[in-house]
Amino acid sequence: MKKIAVDILMGITIILEFVSLPILLHEVLGIGLAFLIILHINYNKKYFKSIFKGKYNLKRTVDLFIHFGLLFSLAATIISGICCSQKSLKKITIAGYKMSHIHKGTSIISLVFLGLHLFTTRKKLFRAIKKLQ
């Protein structure tokens, strides 16, 4: 139940992040999304423990590529978001030059990987939603 609640909250937060919001709200939602992502990864730690076990076929290799592509693009989005923060984390500055371009670009790449991730895990997601009914 907690796992699907985190997934639903992540979905809602991601949708809200792509809506035109005041910058402070966008930043606060981004920080919240980072914590939800950490929870999601924690709930799925069994997957990460199984990476080096068993044999790899094409499907498993593609899934691994998608999962790590999503993980790295989200990490880049979060880090670049922190670097170009204007309100909530403005005291933390690493590099102000064109970091917003990196943030926008990596967020779009993350969205593509998220779509692929949802597509490859759709059966598991539908089963979890069905259990809620």
Side-chain angles (χ1 to χ4, degrees):
M1 186 68 170
K2 290 179 192 175
K3 190 175 179 179
I4 193 70
V6 167
D7 292 349
I8 291 168
L9 278 172
M10 274 194 323
I12 292 167
T13 306
I14 289 168
I15 291 167
L16 287 173
E17 286 289 63
F18 283 92
V19 174
S20 184
L21 296 171
I23 192 68
L24 181 61
L25 185 55
H26 175 80
E27 291 177 8
V28 170
L29 284 173
I31 294 166
L33 180 59
F35 285 109
L36 289 171
I37 290 167
I38 291 167
L39 279 175
H40 179 79
I41 289 169
N42 188 50
Y43 284 137
N44 292 286
K45 63 184 163 200
K46 212 182 336 181
Y47 171 79
F48 291 97
K49 288 179 181 177
S50 72
I51 287 175
F52 298 108
K53 296 177 183 171
K55 294 186 179 182
Y56 274 83
N57 56 20
L58 181 62
K59 183 193 178 320
R60 190 170 179 204
T61 303
V62 169
D63 285 349
L64 184 69
F65 173 77
I66 290 168
H67 291 146
F68 275 92
L70 180 59
L71 187 65
F72 289 127
S73 62
L74 283 171
T77 302
I78 292 165
I79 292 166
S80 62
I82 291 168
C83 290
C84 67
S85 175
Q86 296 173 17
K87 299 274 184 189
S88 60
L89 303 171
K90 69 180 178 184
K91 301 249 189 277
I92 302 173
T93 54
I94 296 170
Y97 66 96
K98 305 296 181 201
M99 196 54 75
S100 62
H101 295 284
I102 294 169
H103 182 65
K104 288 175 187 174
T106 56
S107 68
I108 292 167
I109 292 168
S110 295
L111 201 55
V112 170
F113 275 113
L114 176 61
L116 293 170
H117 175 67
L118 289 172
F119 179 74
T120 60
T121 59
R122 68 190 179 282
K123 290 177 185 174
K124 194 175 178 183
L125 180 63
F126 289 142
R127 278 194 304 269
I129 291 170
K130 213 174 198 181
K131 279 184 182 177
L132 292 176
Q133 297 174 354

